[in-house]
Amino acid sequence: MHIFKRAALAATIAALCSSDSWADTIKVGVIAEFSGPFAMYGKQYREAVETYVAKHGTQAGEHTIEFIYKDVGGSNPDVAKTLAQELLIREEVDYLAGFTFTPNALAVAPLIDQSETPTVIFNAATSSINKGSQYFLRTSYTLPQVTAPLADWTFDQGIKTVVTAVSDYGPGIDAEKAFKAAFEKKGGKVVDAIRMPVATTDFTPFIQRVRSQNPNAVFAFLPGGPPTFGFTKTYNENGLAKSGIRFLGTAETEESNLQALGDAAIGLTTAFHYSAAHDSDVAREFNKAIKDKFPNAITNWASVGAYDGTHLIYEMVKAAGSDGPKALEAVKALKWESPRGPVEMDPQTRTVKQNVYIRGVERDTVSGLLVNREKGVIATVGDLGWTQ
Amino acid sequence: MARVPFLAEAVMLACAVAAFYVFPYDLALITRFLVMILFVLSLDLVLGYAGIATLGHAALYGTGAYAAGLFAVHVSGDPLTGLAVGAGAGALLAFASGLLLMRSHGLTLLMLSIAVTLICQEIANKARDVTGGADGLRGIRMEPVLGIFKFDFIGRTGYWYALAVVVACYAVLKIATLSPLGLSARGIKDSAARMVAIGSPVYWRLVTVYTISGAIAGIAGALAAQVTQLVSLEVYAFNLSAEALIMLVLGGAGRLYGAVIGVVIFMTVHHVAAAVDPFNWLFIIGALILSVVFLVPSGVLGIPAAISDLFRRGNDAARP
């Protein structure tokens, strides 16, 4: 059988050449959403990957890197697994990347374990994914990683009572639990936990319920787009901000949504690992590079996850070529300066350790656009959900 | 057509066996074809034969998938028992929901069938401790088929296993459609009123057909769960029901091999288009569906008839 021959050949080559002294092409398969309602993710990833490639060339060490994009269309574990098999068997890729949704990443875990393929997760934020295979690396974040520091910070600001209002789906419930656990550990009190249907557009009853409890703040978790828009608008219209109930969130004010939120967003407080307005040379360079290549591009957390993920892949290829275990070993404690700030890999959780920033939405005086202005920083937070 | 018995079936089986050798690197993909074929076959039984228009067939598929997945996680990793559990779960849901659904027709039935799917999806979403919710049900580890054939990385075992299941189910469906039950289902499709008049218990016939279809859809779901080793909420997606319907219409409803052809064409175009241009391939799918609806409403198998029709009309027009 053809495959046996290839496998035998590969094994022989691997045995003979333990040093990677010959130049070759290393293929990276990117499994993400390039069509349908979640195509934004694929677009952000691709822009970031291509910007990185344009800046650093296709050469990593002695190897040439080639990216192959595959469309998974959304949360589709069947398709994700088939695409991964196709990439590994037919295209013979040495690295996988992408993965927006948790089930898609989980579906490929048994495959990458068998083929020893380092797989870089650009987004999927459920903490336990990385326990599924030791070949998972994550350059995005996990929900507890940003939510728990926000809860601590909130308490330190003198906010003692909070109502949580989350969309009723997996990530929303995870966020609610993480916030509650961290906040009550500090001594604060979550007076009410509201779960709102994912598809709802009328938030008035929920906002009224928050108001009637009269807490110091409301912690919200909503999927991007219309729900966030509706919630923040209702929050302002009902005068919660004026009556001193602060808004606390995480990804609600992310950059691709931010301008659409309009003035209603000004003053919202969020804790997150990336702001496009991050004040550093690397961040400005990143924004400029991506805008030079794609004039309409907006950088957000998905872009930076893919950009850093590409960096990680380049470093692995430089160090180990196509040798998966060796590549993993080479970057397991890698540190670098990312457009989001300083980051490093955590050898245990294989998720990036990074700063979590407390930001407020402001209108930038120069550009006139809304930005997430960083007001405070909680330094080098690892994946706090790992031990739960 | 020539009167060779089971000619279409023999050709299809030969193609399936040949595919194993021609596309050795795409076995995972072809296995997904097979799962989809099984699912569309089950839809063909209710829509093509009994004329029950449903957009909620994913409820039966998804329930089979979750049942087989949970069985593998908590009880046993034996694939064949898992299939039986999936079939049982699909049939049970089909029977229970069929008692209500088969009392309605047309749009009401369509809406109710969608509602059943949504209820199932919400239950799976809420019962996170059991199903894993939006993260998916994980931890499915399959034992070797019949204790001999281990599931391998390339998907060879998965392919033969799926093919065997599809062939067996096809045979069952073939027998069912040729049986008195199948014939009365066709009668009900053509005229339910007359079937009542000749004394056929229309309601119970429909419930029976729906339950059989539920078992087959449940097997398809179970097969998907076993091959992917993960079940997510997407098994209840409306999209799945709708795509199955499109594939069935494309191939031509009311013939079992029509379901097979529809799936193969749709998924091949889907795969090739997505591989060639992963960013804009939906346009191709859109064009395919539009052209089917406008040009060959009776499916690909209706093309020869449509062409001869065109010529006849052409001749008629030429005549003064």
Side-chain angles (χ1 to χ4, degrees):
Chain A
M1 202 68 221
H2 212 58
I3 298 158
F4 286 140
K5 272 191 205 158
R6 279 205 195 189
L9 192 67
T12 323
I13 291 171
L16 288 175
C17 321
S18 46
S19 71
D20 42 339
S21 54
W22 83 104
D24 55 357
T25 300
I26 302 265
K27 291 184 183 171
V28 181
V30 181
I31 298 177
E33 294 69 22
F34 295 103
S35 67
F38 304 104
M40 185 274 280
Y41 287 99
K43 176 175 164 284
Q44 299 294 87
Y45 297 159
R46 189 174 165 219
E47 284 172 357
V49 169
E50 289 185 0
T51 303
Y52 191 94
V53 173
K55 198 170 162 197
H56 296 86
T58 52
Q59 207 70 20
E62 291 164 351
H63 311 276
T64 308
I65 295 194
E66 184 192 336
F67 288 86
I68 302 169
Y69 297 94
K70 292 284 177 192
D71 181 20
V72 67
S75 177
N76 272 327
D78 301 5
V79 180
K81 189 171 183 187
T82 313
L83 290 175
Q85 268 168 309
E86 185 188 330
L87 285 165
L88 290 168
I89 297 166
R90 198 167 62 174
E91 307 279 359
E92 300 182 309
V93 300
D94 298 301
Y95 295 87
L96 286 175
F99 300 103
T100 308
F101 295 97
T102 301
N104 293 356
L106 287 174
V108 306
L111 292 177
I112 60 170
D113 250 356
Q114 277 186 44
S115 62
E116 304 186 331
T117 308
T119 298
V120 181
I121 298 170
F122 286 172
N123 181 61
T126 305
S127 185
S128 59
I129 297 172
N130 284 14
K131 288 178 181 156
S133 164
Q134 53 165 330
Y135 287 92
F136 277 130
L137 301 145
R138 175 161 38 199
T139 52
S140 54
Y141 71 111
T142 68
L143 281 169
Q145 194 174 24
V146 293
T147 314
L150 174 65
D152 290 351
W153 177 85
T154 305
F155 187 81
D156 294 339
Q157 297 300 302
I159 293 171
K160 303 296 180 237
T161 53
V162 169
V163 169
T164 61
V166 302
S167 285
D168 193 358
Y169 74 133
I173 294 161
D174 286 343
E176 176 197 292
K177 286 183 178 156
F179 187 91
K180 191 173 153 91
F183 193 60
E184 298 200 328
K185 196 172 159 202
K186 273 276 203 177
K189 189 162 166 45
V190 174
V191 287
D192 195 5
I194 303 171
R195 292 181 183 176
M196 308 171 287
V198 178
T200 194
T201 48
D202 180 13
F203 290 96
T204 313
F206 306 111
I207 293 288
Q208 288 297 348
R209 195 165 139 193
V210 173
R211 199 193 168 93
S212 67
Q213 309 271 0
N214 199 24
N216 299 139
V218 54
F219 169 74
F221 187 95
L222 301 136
T228 302
F229 182 71
F231 190 89
T232 52
K233 193 161 169 280
T234 319
Y235 166 83
N236 273 315
E237 279 172 357
N238 284 269
L240 262 66
K242 285 193 198 80
S243 54
I245 302 172
R246 283 185 76 166
F247 176 97
L248 305 168
T250 50
E252 281 69 28
T253 59
E254 60 95 8
E255 282 71 13
S256 68
N257 269 325
L258 188 55
Q259 305 310 325
L261 292 178
D263 285 342
I266 291 174
L268 301 183
T269 308
T270 52
F272 211 45
H273 60 286
Y274 176 72
S275 163
H278 181 69
D279 186 20
S280 80
D281 289 339
V282 179
R284 278 184 287 272
E285 223 173 89
F286 170 63
N287 281 329
K288 189 178 173 309
I290 222 164
K291 289 225 166 75
D292 284 349
K293 202 164 161 51
F294 305 97
N296 297 323
I298 291 167
T299 54
N300 67 359
W301 93 99
S303 326
V304 85
Y307 192 77
D308 286 338
T310 312
H311 177 72
L312 203 59
I313 291 169
Y314 267 65
E315 291 300 316
M316 283 193 277
V317 172
K318 262 183 216 166
S322 59
D323 183 343
K326 201 174 150 198
L328 216 55
E329 192 62 28
V331 298
K332 72 174 190 188
L334 188 72
K335 289 184 190 184
W336 72 99
E337 178 72 23
S338 149
R340 67 183 102 172
V343 294
E344 61 180 288
M345 292 306 294
D346 180 338
Q348 194 203 350
T349 65
R350 284 166 277 114
T351 296
V352 281
K353 284 202 264 184
Q354 55 196 334
N355 293 340
V356 173
Y357 302 91
I358 305 292
R359 310 98 49 88
V361 177
E362 288 180 5
R363 203 167 270 290
D364 190 67
T365 43
V366 183
S367 64
L369 297 172
L370 294 170
V371 294
N372 285 305
R373 188 73 71 204
E374 289 167 359
K375 310 271 188 189
V377 51
I378 299 150
T380 37
V381 183
D383 173 14
L384 300 167
W386 185 255
T387 49
Q388 280 165 12
Chain B
M1 198 172 265
R3 293 286 104 195
V4 183
F6 303 116
L7 177 68
E9 283 77 11
V11 170
M12 286 188 298
L13 189 60
C15 287
V17 173
F20 178 82
Y21 296 102
V22 179
F23 305 107
Y25 300 131
D26 292 306
L27 292 180
L29 179 72
I30 306 175
T31 307
R32 269 189 48 230
F33 276 40
L34 289 170
V35 171
M36 208 61 201
I37 284 173
L38 195 54
F39 182 52
V40 175
L41 278 173
S42 75
L43 181 64
D44 197 10
L45 183 67
V46 289
L47 181 71
Y49 285 87
I52 306 166
T54 160
L55 269 175
H57 225 52
L60 311 171
Y61 175 89
T63 305
Y66 271 112
L70 288 169
F71 181 78
V73 172
H74 297 295
V75 186
S76 149
D78 180 54
L80 292 179
T81 335
L83 285 187
V85 170
L92 197 67
L93 178 69
F95 179 73
S97 63
L99 289 178
L100 171 71
L101 291 177
M102 295 312 131
R103 289 184 188 280
S104 57
H105 309 274
L107 269 183
T108 321
L109 176 64
L110 218 56
M111 303 311 286
L112 283 175
S113 68
I114 295 173
V116 170
T117 318
L118 288 178
I119 290 169
C120 290
Q121 185 170 33
E122 201 48 34
I123 291 173
N125 184 27
K126 290 278 181 197
R128 295 182 85 206
D129 298 335
V130 182
T131 62
D135 288 350
L137 173 68
R138 60 176 118 171
I140 301 174
R141 296 274 174 274
M142 298 318 297
E143 284 164 15
V145 183
L146 300 172
I148 307 168
F149 305 104
K150 272 176 112 174
F151 283 95
D152 57 332
F153 183 76
I154 299 164
R156 281 196 211 105
T157 309
Y159 179 79
W160 289 120
Y161 173 55
L163 183 60
V165 173
V166 171
V167 168
C169 290
Y170 189 100
V172 169
L173 284 173
K174 188 86 190 169
I175 294 167
T177 51
L178 293 175
S179 71
L181 176 72
L183 294 177
S184 70
R186 293 198 146 189
I188 293 168
K189 184 191 174 193
D190 290 340
S191 171
R194 286 192 186 183
M195 290 303 285
V196 174
I198 62 168
S200 173
V202 169
Y203 173 68
W204 288 108
R205 284 283 148 80
L206 288 177
V207 171
T208 312
V209 169
Y210 196 63
T211 307
I212 296 173
S213 169
I216 306 275
I219 293 176
L223 203 54
Q226 293 178 348
V227 174
T228 310
Q229 299 185 348
L230 190 98
V231 185
S232 81
L233 289 177
E234 299 305 308
V235 292
Y236 286 124
F238 174 75
N239 225 5
L240 183 66
S241 304
E243 276 193 357
L245 192 64
I246 291 167
M247 289 184 226
L248 182 57
V249 171
L250 177 63
R255 314 172 185 89
L256 289 181
Y257 54 89
V260 178
I261 294 171
V263 172
V264 171
I265 294 178
F266 184 89
M267 291 191 71
T268 306
V269 172
H270 189 305
H271 177 72
V272 172
V276 171
D277 185 351
F279 311 107
N280 305 307
W281 62 272
L282 276 175
F283 285 112
I284 307 287
I285 295 293
L288 174 74
I289 294 168
L290 281 179
S291 55
V292 167
V293 172
F294 284 116
L295 302 177
V296 275
S298 53
V300 176
L301 292 176
I303 287 181
I307 291 174
S308 69
D309 212 43
L310 199 69
F311 275 109
R312 207 176 310 133
R313 244 188 296 164
N315 289 342
D316 287 349
R319 237 172 269 148

